Amino acid sequence: MSWHKVWLIARREFWFNLRRRSFLASMFLFPVLFIGILVLGGALGSSSASDISSYTAVGLVDESGVVVRADGTPYLAEMPEPFRLYPAEIDAQRAFEAGELDGYYVLRADFLKTLKPEAYYRRDRVFGEALTRHLVREVLKPSVAAQVGDPNLAARLESPLGNQKLYRFGNPQPLSREALLAVVFAPILVSSLMFIMTMNVSQFLMTGLAEEKENRMMELFITSARPSEMLWGKLIGLGALSLLQIAVWIGIGIVFAATQGTDVLGTLASYQLDAGFLLVVAIYTMLGYALYGAIMAAIGASVNTDQEARQIAALVSIVGSLPLLFLVSFLLDPNGGAALVLSLLPFTSPSGMPLRMAVANVPSEHVLLGILLQVVTISAVMWLAAKIFRLGMLNYGKRLSLGELWRALREGRQQIISARQTEEAL
Amino acid sequence: MITIDVQNVAKRYGQKVAVDDVSFEVRRGEIFSLLGPNGAGKTTIIRMILDIIKPDSGRIEVFGAPFSEATKQRIGYLPEERGLYKNVPLVELLSYLGTLKGMKRREAEQRAAQLLNELDLGAYKKGKVRELSRGMSQKVQFAATIIHRPELLIIDEPFAGLDPVNTEIIKNTIFRLRSEGATVVMSIHEMHQVEEMADRLLMIHQGRRVLYGEVDEVRQRYAENAVIVSGQGDWAALRGVTRVQPDETGRNITLYLDEQTTPEQIMAALASDPSYTVRSFARAVPRLNDIFIRVAGGEAKIAASALDAAEVRP
C-alpha cells in the first residue's frame, strides 16, 4: 500500500469536504443553535424556577410547631415576603376569600412526619416549585436553625460531610468531587465522541461515495489507486475533518462558558486525569474509529441512498455503545465476566476498556491484549471492507445482495458487476 | 516491441461466455482499435487488461509483465462509464488525478492548465464540471486520462457525444500522443474513425475474435471484384462487367466484374476506348462499416473459421 497515495486522498477528502456548505453549516450553526437553545431554555427555566415576584401575599398556617412556638410567637423575628403568618386556617381562608392572599400553606400537626405542606391557591395563581423552595429556604430552615440555637450546628446538620477533602495518591493538591465523576464519565464521553465521529464520518462518506458512484468515477480511481488506499485515505481525511468539527464545537463551548464565568480548562486541570489513562483512551478511540469507519465505508459502498446507509450505520453504532448498557456491571464488578469480555471484544472495547479502567485497576496485559485484538480485527475488517468497497462502488445504481458479497469474497475478485453488465448486454 | 500481449484469454459469467479464447497483441506506438457490437465483450477485455477483473484462463501481459500497481502509473484510461467530481475547479480536479498517477502537485497543475488550453477549455480553468456542456465535460475527462503523459492510452468510445469540432480536437491530440511514442487502444463504434486513425484492429463478436490485422489488409480481404468509376459511357457494355450499381448521387458507379476480369483490364479498356470519359477510377474496397455489419450480422462464424484456418495473425 502506498501511504503517499493515502495521504493525497486524505488531503483531498479533508479540504473538499471542509468547503461544503453543509459541513460549514453543521460546524458553526450547530453550536450556535445549541447555545441558543441552552440560553433560551436556561432563561425560561430560571425565570419559572426562581421567579416569585408574581406573588403578592401568601398565607402560612403552622399547626406543627416548626415555624411557631407553643405560645404562638414565630421563631423568626420577621416573616420573609410574601409570607403572612395566620394563627389558624380559618383566618387564612377568610383572607384568601377576601382577595387579600394569592393562597396559603398549612403545615399540619404531622408535618414533621409527612414533610408535605398543604397548599391552597387560585387556579390562575398556581403555587409552583419556586414558591415552595422559597418557603423551605427562607422560612422553614431558618426556623429550625433558630430552634437549634447554634448556627454552626445547624449548618453541619444540613451538610454533615461539607468540608472533607479528597486526594489522589502522590498528588498534594486536593481533588474536587467532580473529578471523580469525570473519571467515570470519561469513557461515556469517549463513546459519545466516537459515536459522533462515526456518524459524522459516515455521513460524509455516504455523501462522497454517493457522488462518486453517481458520477461513475470508480473505474477512474481503481486504475490509479488500490481500494484499500482509497478507503484509508477517506477514513483519515474525514476523521481529521470530524476531529476539527468537534474541536470547533468544544472551542465555541469553552468560549461560551468563559462568557458565563466558567473556567472550563481550569476545572479540567483540577480533575488531575491520569496521562496513561488519557493515552489509552486516545488509542482506543482511534482504533474504534478505524474499525467502525471501515464498516461504515463498506456499508456506504453497498447501498444506494443516504437513508439506507444511516439506518444501518445507527444499528452498527449501537453495538459500539453496548458497554454503556452494561454500565452497572462495570461499576459493581469491573473485573467480572461481562466487563472483561466487553473490554476485550474488538467491537465493544473502544468504550469498554476505558470504562473498566476508570473504575478499577486493569492489568496492563489486558490493555495490550485489547489493543492487539483491535489491530487484528481492523486488518481483517479493512481487507473485507476494501473488497466490498471495490465491488459496491463499481456496482452503479444497484444494492449488493448478501449472495453477491459472499461470491465476491469467495472468488476473491469482483466479478459480479461485469457478470451483470454482460448479462444485460447479451 | 509488444505493449499488450493477450493469449488465449477466456471469461465466463455463469452460463454466459463473455470472452472465448481470444488472443491478440498491441504493438508499441500503434493505434489499435477494438471493434464489436454491443455486448461483444470489448469492455470485459479492457477490464481484464486493466486488472479490474481476472480472466478464467489465459495470460495477459502489459509492458512485458503481468499487471502490477506500478503499471497503473503508465496507463491512461478513459472508461465507457464517464464521470468526474462536478463541484471542483477544473485545474484542481485534474491536478488531483495527476498526483494520484505519480505527478508532483506543481507539475500536475501546470500540465492541467496546459491541457485545458490545448483542448480549447482555457477559459474554464476555474470553472467546474457542472458548469460545462456534455462535450466540454468529455474533453475534461480526456484531459484527466492523459494528464500524466501515459505510455499506454486505453480509451473506450472517445468520440461518443462529441460534435465534429471537438472530435477533431480529440483526434489530433490522440495523433500527437502517438507521435510522441504512446500506444493507443480504442474501443470505438465510428467505423470511419477506425479507417482514418487505426493501424490495426480486432473485431470481437459474441466473445470470439472474428477479425484481426492491419486495417487496410482486412479491407482488402473483404474486397469484392469491383471498381468504382465516375464519368460518362455505357458501363454495362464493357467486357467482364456483370452488374452496374450507381450510388445515391448517381455520380459514382460500382462495376462488378466476373471472375476472369481484373480491374487493370477494365482500366486498359476504358483508356483505349474514346467513347468513355473517365474522371475517376478506383478499386472498390468495402467500408469497415459494411464489413462490421456483415460480420456481426451473420457471417461472424464463417469469418472466424476462415481466419483460424488461414492464421492471418501477423
Side-chain angles (χ1 to χ4, degrees), chain A residues 19 212 215 223 390 421, chain B residues 47 52 83 85-86 92 101:
Chain A
R19 286 178 288 176
E212 284 165 7
N215 291 338
T223 50
R390 175 187 174 115
Q421 288 178 348
Chain B
R47 284 179 167 171
I52 295 174
Y85 291 119
K86 290 200 165 40
E92 187 184 326
K101 288 287 192 182

Side-chain angles (χ1 to χ4, degrees), chain A residues 49-298:
Chain A
S50 61
D51 187 13
I52 54 162
S53 60
S54 60
Y55 302 102
T56 49
V58 174
L60 177 61
V61 179
D62 180 28
E63 298 171 358
S64 67
V66 171
V67 178
V68 182
R69 293 188 186 90
D71 63 6
T73 57
Y75 285 106
L76 299 179
E78 196 174 329
M79 192 54 56
E81 284 296 326
F83 299 109
R84 312 269 186 276
L85 198 57
Y86 288 87
E89 186 178 359
I90 188 72
D91 303 319
Q93 192 179 345
R94 280 183 188 143
F96 178 55
E97 284 168 357
E100 295 162 14
L101 297 177
D102 297 318
Y104 60 94
Y105 284 107
V106 180
L107 308 179
R108 296 293 176 196
D110 60 351
F111 172 72
L112 284 172
K113 284 183 186 169
T114 64
L115 296 177
K116 284 180 183 167
E118 286 178 13
Y120 299 86
Y121 46 79
R122 294 206 307 267
R123 279 190 184 171
D124 61 347
R125 194 57 62 85
V126 176
F127 284 8
E129 275 289 308
L131 188 64
T132 309
R133 269 204 304 276
H134 191 65
L135 173 73
V136 171
R137 196 171 57 242
E138 301 296 330
V139 180
L140 300 186
K141 280 188 178 177
S143 297
V144 172
Q147 289 178 53
V148 172
D150 180 352
N152 286 335
L153 185 61
R156 276 160 57 196
L157 274 172
E158 194 175 331
S159 178
L161 299 175
N163 292 324
Q164 70 172 345
K165 287 183 177 173
L166 298 160
Y167 292 89
R168 187 184 284 280
F169 279 113
N171 195 321
Q173 291 299 316
L175 196 60
S176 66
R177 221 183 280 191
E178 292 78 13
L180 284 178
L181 278 175
V183 173
V184 178
F185 277 106
I188 297 172
L189 278 175
V190 167
S191 303
S192 313
L193 186 76
M194 223 178 68
F195 183 80
I196 293 172
M197 270 182 82
T198 43
M199 291 313 284
N200 255 350
V201 170
S202 63
Q203 188 187 334
F204 301 147
L205 264 176
M206 303 308 151
T207 314
L209 293 180
E211 189 182 352
E212 284 165 7
K213 229 171 161 176
E214 187 187 327
N215 291 338
R216 309 285 197 257
M217 296 188 68
M218 200 54 190
E219 274 191 278
L220 200 64
F221 286 136
I222 218 158
T223 50
S224 300
R226 288 190 169 103
S228 56
E229 290 164 351
M230 295 178 61
L231 205 55
W232 275 109
K234 281 175 183 293
L235 287 179
I236 292 171
L238 296 177
L241 194 67
S242 187
L243 280 179
L244 172 73
Q245 188 181 47
I246 290 168
V248 167
W249 288 353
I250 291 172
I252 291 174
I254 290 173
V255 170
F256 173 71
T259 63
Q260 303 297 305
T262 308
D263 176 14
V264 176
L265 295 178
T267 310
L268 277 177
S270 76
Y271 290 174
Q272 299 174 17
L273 292 174
D274 183 50
F277 172 70
L278 289 178
L279 181 68
V280 171
V281 168
I283 290 172
Y284 272 89
T285 305
M286 288 301 124
L287 292 175
Y289 167 71
L291 180 65
Y292 281 94
I295 295 170
M296 296 299 173

Side-chain angles (χ1 to χ4, degrees), chain B residues 5 49 51 54 59-71:
Chain B
D5 187 11
I49 292 172
D51 199 42
K54 288 278 186 202
R59 180 176 57 85
I60 298 174
E61 288 189 352
V62 183
F63 302 122
F67 200 92
S68 68
E69 281 304 306
T71 315

